[in-house]
Amino acid sequence: MRTTSTSERGVPERSETPDVSGAYPRLTDAQVMMLSRFGARRQVPKGTALYSEGDRDCDFFVILEGLVSVGPPTDREPQLVAVHGPGRFLGDLSLLTGQTLYVTAIAEEDVEVLAVPVERLKEAVVEDPGLGDLILRAFIVRRSLHAGTGAGFRVVGSRFSSDSRRIRDFASRNRIPHRWVDLEEDPEAEGILRRLGVAPEQTPVVIWKGEHVLRNPSNAELATLIGLRVVPEREAYDLVIVGAGPAGLAAAVYGASEGLSSLVLDAVATGGQAVTSSQIENYLGFPAGISGAELADRAMVQARKFGATFIVPGEARSLRGTDGYHVVGLSDGEDVTAHALILATGVQYRRLEVPGLDRLEGSSVYYAATESEAQLCGGDPVMVVGGGNSAGQAALFLARRSSVVHLVIRHHDLHRDMSRYLADRIEKTPQIRVWRDAEVYQLDGDVVLQSVVLRELDSDRQHVVDSSALFVLIGSMPRTAWLGDRIELDEHGYVLTGANSRWGSLFETDTPGVFAVGDVRSGSVKRVASAVGEGAMAVRLVHEFLERAGRR
Ligand SMILES: Cc1cc2nc3c(=O)[nH]c(=O)nc-3n(C[C@H](O)[C@H](O)[C@H](O)COP(=O)(O)OP(=O)(O)OC[C@H]3O[C@@H](n4cnc5c(N)ncnc54)[C@H](O)[C@@H]3O)c2cc1C
């Protein structure tokens, strides 16, 4: 949002952006005084960049005098994110996660700032945890505000391309600000491609800092570009955690905080399934609910604060044992070595086996309902399949945007597999139409979904229902195929641990030093709170194992 007023000479003057969502709080004099013990005052002449899009490792700046504007570089986008004055601080989540910054901050006039190195900021917030929470909350909210302003990279491609979808999914699962330029609909697309000398058939392309063009980059290339992916620094870690959903993140926080060198791998993004939940309402301590993305960001910052290292994307493809160590082979051919291993790979959604799915899966079928999918659907009618909590949450979330949400369940009682609070809300939401005792029979549409044929289970009657997107949330399968026969699994492919078999401690598998927690563990309760609890508890068992094995 650009905020300007006009001076007597008719020249627009900028004024401060109001703080409407807690993104731009003003520090008190006492807080600035306290912080000044950790940093130094600096004069910044008008027009100087305090930091630029693409920078890393910059200081935390508190404005003492003058105005600073923040936004995408002005030669590229006319839109500002915000203007800040005395008492406000600059920066966003990237300062704490080691990623690149997605915006540029320019002194609008001669400015005085307090520059605090990020390492020293960490010391300051230990002294004043309230200040730490204020800054973290502001940074998390800013990241989501940046997402809607043109900050970050641009993805130009066709909405029908599965690679366009992969890149956008990767960016949104990792909460990376980006702008989608739709080849079919956005009038800007053609001009951008012509200027960069890219033919439409060479899309999708990612444009970074207005000039660097990556043609159909892999997720790993994108992650390297924005500083998300690090190279492992050690020969062997005390603890390697595979999977950074709630269970893996909890293990990372407890492992690193208790002095274990801890490496976390995730194939896609931190946060796991929880990131696809717009509002988790049953997690202890958050009576108003918390979005999965915020929970994941907070946990990642916390784990990094204690020294955990993250490799994202880092997909485990194989596991072998060498000289008492556990060696995880990654999809890029690298190996990481661990004294102890925690498997926290969770589950993935089941697909529907119906005619039309293979053809339309890349363009119109989704396995999560987040802001990014909701944007693609616009206000069109959509369909959600599934009777569990995730389907219920998705239906309610989509009903905020879509004209009609069709919810299809294979039984009669909406309350059977869904928490009562969700089922009650669905019944009171007029935009949601529930199809009971019904199943998806066929998907129709050439390139995109146009309608779904539903079949009534007791009468065989069919109904053709208009729908531009299908959200499939019908249960899940454990992500254990990569383990081969190295670890004993139950008949459904979930990892067996001491909790449900004859060997080892509660979460230890049949291989000493390898533990399993969260949704991937046989018999686990499939909830955020239990995944977090298991991840935390497993670290105690890892300590016991390392002591037993004489490695601590
Ligand atoms: C839409 C939705 C809404 C939900 N709402 C709620 C709710 O309100 N309350 C609640 O309590 N629970 C909810 N849940 C369930 C909850 O999110 C899960 O129980 C929880 O996320 C499980 O955590 P986890 O860490 O065990 O596994 P996951 O969250 O599944 O995380 C596993 C991680 O491992 C990674 N991974 C998988 N294989 C590999 C590999 N080979 N190499 C590297 N990484 C790998 C994945 O990319 C993923 O990030 C919801 C789930 C969904 C889908």
Side-chain angles (χ1 to χ4, degrees):
M1 184 203 325
R2 184 192 284 270
T3 44
T4 54
S5 60
T6 305
S7 73
E8 281 169 13
R9 284 173 297 145
V11 180
E13 283 174 350
R14 294 202 167 125
S15 54
E16 252 194 346
T17 310
D19 179 21
V20 283
S21 49
Y24 310 129
R26 198 179 308 284
L27 300 183
T28 61
D29 290 346
Q31 285 168 326
V32 177
M33 283 278 281
M34 193 278 271
L35 277 171
S36 62
R37 287 195 282 114
F38 296 85
R41 285 170 176 255
R42 197 188 292 171
Q43 307 297 325
V44 183
K46 179 178 175 174
T48 309
L50 284 114
Y51 54 78
S52 301
E53 177 189 35
D55 283 356
R56 282 171 76 176
D57 304 326
C58 88
D59 288 347
F60 173 79
F61 295 112
V62 181
I63 304 169
L64 301 176
E65 233 180 279
L67 285 180
V68 176
S69 65
V70 175
T74 43
D75 58 340
R76 213 181 74 219
E77 299 279 347
Q79 206 179 12
L80 273 179
V81 175
V83 177
H84 301 301
R88 295 246 185 115
F89 54 88
L90 304 176
D92 77 11
L93 205 55
S94 298
L95 287 192
L96 307 180
T97 61
Q99 290 171 35
T100 52
L101 284 148
Y102 298 100
V103 285
T104 295
I106 309 258
E108 286 286 316
E109 51 202 31
D110 290 345
V111 158
E112 187 180 21
V113 293
L114 175 67
V116 183
V118 171
E119 284 312 310
R120 305 258 16 234
L121 177 67
K122 289 178 187 165
E123 293 168 34
V125 299
V126 169
E127 228 175 79
D128 184 349
L131 175 64
D133 207 51
L134 181 89
I135 295 170
L136 179 58
R137 167 129 185 78
F139 280 1
I140 287 174
V141 180
R142 283 178 196 189
R143 183 53 79 75
S144 63
L145 291 180
H146 290 176
T149 58
F153 55 71
R154 287 195 231 185
V155 185
V156 187
S158 162
R159 59 167 59 195
F160 308 126
S161 144
S162 55
D163 276 321
S164 295
R165 169 122 167 232
R166 170 184 58 77
I167 292 169
R168 298 189 63 210
D169 275 355
F170 180 75
S172 59
R173 288 279 303 271
N174 280 287
R175 287 86 71 198
I176 300 168
H178 64 286
R179 203 181 123 199
W180 164 237
V181 184
D182 190 332
L183 206 55
E184 272 79 23
E185 299 227 326
D186 197 321
E188 255 191 86
E190 214 182 297
I192 295 174
L193 292 182
R194 205 174 319 112
R195 185 166 54 78
L196 295 167
V198 177
E201 55 278 15
Q202 293 172 312
T203 58
V205 290
V206 167
I207 305 164
W208 174 228
K209 297 210 270 177
E211 55 197 34
H212 302 293
V213 180
L214 282 84
R215 286 164 208 234
N216 196 9
S218 66
N219 291 352
E221 282 173 300
L222 263 185
T224 307
L225 180 81
I226 53 164
L228 199 61
R229 198 161 198 271
V230 297
V231 177
E233 288 157 359
R234 292 168 180 264
E235 284 194 2
Y237 285 81
D238 293 331
L239 175 61
V240 168
I241 299 154
V242 188
L249 286 168
V253 169
Y254 283 84
S257 68
E258 291 174 18
L260 300 177
S261 59
S262 304
L263 175 72
V264 190
L265 307 170
D266 199 289
V268 188
T270 53
Q273 297 165 67
V275 168
T276 62
S277 175
S278 48
Q279 198 71 344
I280 298 169
E281 299 202 36
N282 57 357
Y283 188 58
L284 186 76
F286 294 91
I290 180 167
S291 77
E294 179 169 348
L295 192 66
D297 280 336
R298 283 177 172 270
M300 186 172 61
V301 169
Q302 198 174 7
R304 282 181 56 97
K305 179 181 91 173
F306 291 122
T309 305
F310 285 79
I311 298 187
V312 179
E315 184 182 356
R317 283 275 175 87
S318 63
L319 175 62
R320 60 182 200 276
T322 311
D323 299 334
Y325 291 95
H326 307 289
V327 181
V328 179
L330 303 186
S331 53
D332 62 5
E334 295 283 317
D335 284 342
V336 292
T337 304
H339 288 288
L341 193 64
I342 292 184
L343 308 174
T345 49
V347 296
Q348 70 191 35
Y349 271 95
R350 286 185 198 285
R351 297 172 78 230
L352 278 175
E353 298 296 333
V354 292
L357 186 93
D358 285 344
R359 187 177 69 251
L360 297 167
E361 196 169 36
S363 65
S364 318
V365 181
Y366 304 96
Y367 296 91
T370 67
E371 197 53 45
S372 143
E373 288 85 16
Q375 269 176 23
L376 277 179
C377 298
D380 297 340
V382 298
M383 185 173 284
V384 177
V385 192
N389 279 355
S390 47
Q393 281 183 3
L396 283 165
F397 174 67
L398 293 164
R400 291 191 223 147
R401 294 270 186 102
S402 297
S403 49
V404 190
V405 178
H406 299 279
L407 176 63
V408 183
I409 58 174
R410 286 176 56 93
H411 49 81
H412 198 75
D413 181 9
L414 190 58
H415 291 255
R416 196 186 81 178
D417 303 325
M418 199 179 284
S419 296
R420 190 165 159 185
Y421 77 96
L422 284 172
D424 287 348
R425 266 187 231 166
I426 285 172
E427 281 168 343
K428 286 185 194 136
T429 305
Q431 302 96 295
I432 303 181
R433 168 159 188 199
V434 183
W435 295 79
R436 294 177 164 81
D437 299 309
E439 67 174 14
V440 172
Y441 186 69
Q442 181 176 309
L443 309 186
D444 289 330
D446 290 334
V447 185
V448 286
L449 182 68
Q450 280 168 346
S451 57
V452 178
V453 182
L454 294 181
R455 187 173 75 93
E456 284 182 23
L457 289 170
D458 41 9
S459 67
D460 240 10
R461 249 186 44 213
Q462 294 186 3
H463 302 265
V464 178
V465 180
D466 284 349
S467 181
S468 68
L470 181 71
F471 292 83
V472 181
L473 300 158
I474 54 167
S476 46
M477 298 176 308
R479 300 181 67 164
T480 48
W482 66 281
L483 291 168
D485 56 6
R486 287 277 315 168
I487 302 287
E488 192 162 337
L489 308 176
D490 71 11
E491 69 275 25
H492 303 292
Y494 289 87
V495 181
L496 284 167
T497 60
N500 43 29
S501 63
R502 63 197 176 283
W503 61 74
S505 54
L506 199 56
F507 300 134
E508 198 161 15
T509 67
D510 61 332
T511 302
V514 180
F515 301 81
V517 291
D519 281 14
V520 78
R521 191 177 69 75
S522 178
S524 67
V525 179
K526 310 295 186 250
R527 288 282 182 273
V528 172
S530 49
V532 167
E534 291 191 8
M537 280 168 75
V539 170
R540 175 93 298 265
L541 306 178
V542 167
H543 277 292
E544 286 171 13
F545 164 78
L546 292 175
E547 272 160 31
R548 248 188 0 252
R551 299 196 191 162
R552 293 295 286 176

